[in-house]
Amino acid sequence: MRVLLIGDSIRLFYQNEVIKQLGEEYEVLAPQENCKFSAYVLNFLRFWLKDFSAPDIIHFNAGLWDTAILYREDGCFCKMNEYIKNMKAILRELKKTGAKLIFSTTTPVSEEKKWLPGPLPPAHKNADIIRYNKAACEAFKDEDIIINDLFSLMWPKKENFLSDDMIHPNTDGVKLLGGAVADCIKKCGNYKNAKCAVSSEHFAHKDEKTIQ
């Protein structure tokens, strides 16, 4: 079973744990580079899908770079409408491979990260991450795709799973995320004509206004 992982540095952190947990029955493929933001993924898909041809399953994400606040005056690095446009185009191209598709929601950051002045490192707000996750799930709601909700997995005890940089997983976070990704990939073979498993309403209880 050939599995292609596409994602930013969070994926780079948990990738080896996924490989470990999947075992020899799975060939895990992934770009060596950080896949960064949604426009970057859309541009480089043409190379990655050529280099890693005929995957059976593709697990993908973009979002943390898109929601980064480099300069306070500008808000999120990628505006919501552009992010959703990019994500729809990414999904369109991934569907052409015939692989089973898994979209993972963007993981939360420490609440303290919203106070960073930027641009190095940039600030993030969980309220923005929630909004972008909701919008992506809404955009994918009628698609033949599985949602791996890594955001909600980490959210209740997120501070326990984050490293000192307030964004990347620590050792426990790597095990948590890697295990969840591996489990989702294993279960993926049991889905047929799967619809989006998580709708925008899933995030309704996480009111972004209360965590600004």
Side-chain angles (χ1 to χ4, degrees), residues 8-10 13 63-65 67-68 106-110 113 116 121-124 129 154 158-159 161-170 177:
D8 54 29
S9 56
I10 306 301
F13 268 71
L64 274 178
W65 283 63
T67 54
T106 298
T107 51
V109 298
S110 171
K113 203 171 189 306
L116 296 181
H124 278 87
I129 295 173
M154 287 187 68
K158 59 185 179 298
E159 304 294 347
F161 298 117
L162 291 168
S163 62
D164 291 341
D165 68 4
M166 300 185 285
I167 189 169
H168 293 107
N170 58 22
L177 295 175

Side-chain angles (χ1 to χ4, degrees), residues 47-117:
F47 303 108
W48 300 332
L49 294 179
K50 181 180 178 181
D51 292 340
F52 309 114
S53 60
D56 298 295
I57 299 171
I58 301 176
H59 186 284
F60 71 103
N61 166 265
L64 274 178
W65 283 63
D66 297 272
T67 54
I69 302 171
L70 279 67
Y71 308 102
R72 290 284 176 178
E73 298 88 344
D74 298 329
C76 292
F77 178 67
C78 181
K79 299 307 179 186
M80 174 79 76
N81 61 331
E82 286 298 316
Y83 174 72
I84 295 304
K85 179 182 176 181
N86 292 339
M87 295 308 294
K88 286 182 175 180
I90 290 168
L91 178 61
R92 181 196 66 215
E93 295 306 306
L94 293 180
K95 286 167 68 175
K96 294 176 182 178
T97 67
K100 292 186 176 181
L101 303 179
I102 305 171
F103 170 72
S104 69
T105 54
T106 298
T107 51
V109 298
S110 171
E111 292 300 330
E112 295 301 312
K113 203 171 189 306
K114 64 186 175 184
W115 302 115
L116 296 181

